[in-house]
Amino acid sequence: MGVGTRLKQILNDKNVTIKELSLMSGVSINTLYGITKRDNSTIKRDILIPISDVLGLPPQYILGLEGYQPIWTEEELECFESDGYIDTKDGLLSEIIKICKDITTAGRLETLEYLKSIKDKYLSPEMVQNDLTYNEWNNLRIKELNSMYEANKITDIDFQKIMLMFTKNLYIPFPHPENEDDEIYQNDIRIHRYIYEINDAVDRKIINKDFLVSSELYEKAIYHNYTSANTIDSLSEEE
């Protein structure tokens, strides 16, 4: 299976079109169509990385190849594990990871598909509640975004990008300060500022009881309100 076929499958699973991927990643539509039609075994790094960033997937997962250079070095992985970050209270997550590290990419893909198939059945009550609370909050964010757009406070392109982030879980990676003179950096900063402003507006309206929401969302809004405001301040300082 080539990269083009894998990419088409991933986009289909995420209900994302090539046009939407192009908008979010900056990779041209013609280039993306070419990838899916040629179905080569690999693609250039400067094209692969933006695609993987937007989809929130590791580059090697999109390539589906054995031996592709991992994001972390072996030393970094070792340190990460020894610090005890990769584990759950029952100690089973680390065991699953150890097994997956020793099998082939094909085996890991099969494991991933199996885990996806049983996820809903074994989802913890806490995670179910978290999902419900997030969806409740996200619907209010979409409402706030639409209000901004109707008031001409945001451009068509930025509106489309943020709507895709809210509705299809696509990403615009947080920009790195070393690229601050770059136009892409400035565009990404603007997108993230809009998002933080939307989050802050929604949380303030929840706290002020302009919206009737669940008690779980009300509690989270109090926390979000402070963290969001602090992040907006930091972004303003960078500019």
Side-chain angles (χ1 to χ4, degrees):
M1 180 190 300
V3 178
T5 300
R6 283 188 55 74
L7 183 58
K8 282 192 288 187
Q9 287 182 349
I10 291 168
L11 293 179
N12 184 61
D13 289 343
K14 289 180 170 287
N15 192 29
V16 174
T17 66
I18 284 181
K19 182 179 179 180
E20 290 169 342
L21 179 60
S22 175
L23 175 67
M24 298 296 284
S25 67
V27 178
S28 73
I29 292 179
N30 289 338
T31 297
L32 292 172
Y33 273 122
I35 290 170
T36 57
K37 287 180 180 179
R38 288 192 295 272
D39 200 27
N40 293 334
S41 59
T42 188
I43 55 178
K44 292 180 179 178
R45 179 181 175 83
D46 60 344
I47 296 173
L48 174 64
I49 298 303
I51 291 173
S52 68
D53 284 345
V54 167
L55 296 176
L57 295 170
Q60 58 267 40
Y61 179 75
I62 296 174
L63 290 173
L65 298 175
E66 292 276 12
Y68 184 80
Q69 181 65 38
I71 294 176
W72 293 318
T73 64
E74 290 298 324
E75 291 76 15
E76 287 170 333
L77 282 172
E78 227 171 79
C79 176
F80 197 60
E81 289 179 335
S82 64
D83 285 343
Y85 295 126
I86 301 182
D87 213 344
T88 47
K89 289 182 179 179
D90 54 23
L92 294 176
L93 181 58
S94 60
E95 292 301 311
I96 294 172
I97 292 173
K98 287 176 184 177
I99 292 171
C100 287
K101 284 176 66 177
D102 294 334
I103 60 180
T104 64
T105 297
R108 286 191 287 271
L109 286 171
E110 188 172 335
T111 302
L112 178 62
E113 292 307 313
Y114 175 71
L115 290 173
K116 286 180 180 178
S117 72
I118 65 171
K119 176 184 174 183
D120 291 339
K121 181 178 179 181
Y122 293 103
L123 203 61
S124 70
E126 181 183 0
M127 288 306 300
V128 171
Q129 183 58 58
N130 285 344
D131 285 347
L132 290 173
T133 303
Y134 174 80
N135 289 335
E136 183 183 8
W137 180 66
N138 196 47
N139 286 334
L140 294 176
R141 293 200 303 167
I142 292 171
K143 183 178 180 179
E144 187 69 24
L145 174 61
N146 281 318
S147 296
M148 286 179 62
Y149 183 64
E150 290 167 4
N152 295 318
K153 294 180 178 179
I154 187 170
T155 65
D156 288 347
I157 293 297
D158 288 347
F159 170 77
Q160 292 176 48
K161 287 182 177 181
I162 296 173
M163 186 61 77
L164 286 171
M165 295 174 78
F166 287 177
T167 60
K168 296 196 175 182
N169 293 322
L170 298 182
Y171 302 88
I172 290 182
F174 200 87
H176 299 292
E178 61 266 22
N179 300 323
E180 60 185 12
D181 294 329
D182 188 76
E183 183 180 353
I184 295 176
Y185 171 85
Q186 295 299 331
N187 290 339
D188 289 351
I189 276 287
R190 186 178 64 255
I191 291 288
H192 282 281
R193 281 208 61 179
Y194 279 137
I195 292 171
Y196 285 122
E197 288 171 7
I198 290 168
N199 293 350
D200 184 61
V202 168
D203 291 336
R204 280 188 284 105
K205 288 179 180 180
I206 292 173
I207 293 169
N208 294 334
K209 299 187 177 178
D210 296 330
F211 297 133
L212 182 62
V213 300
S214 64
S215 58
E216 289 84 3
L217 181 54
Y218 181 80
E219 290 174 4
K220 286 184 180 295
I222 294 174
Y223 172 75
H224 286 160
N225 188 56
Y226 290 115
T227 56
S228 179
N230 289 339
T231 307
I232 291 174
D233 289 342
S234 68
L235 286 172
S236 298
E237 289 173 5
E238 287 179 10
E239 291 183 343

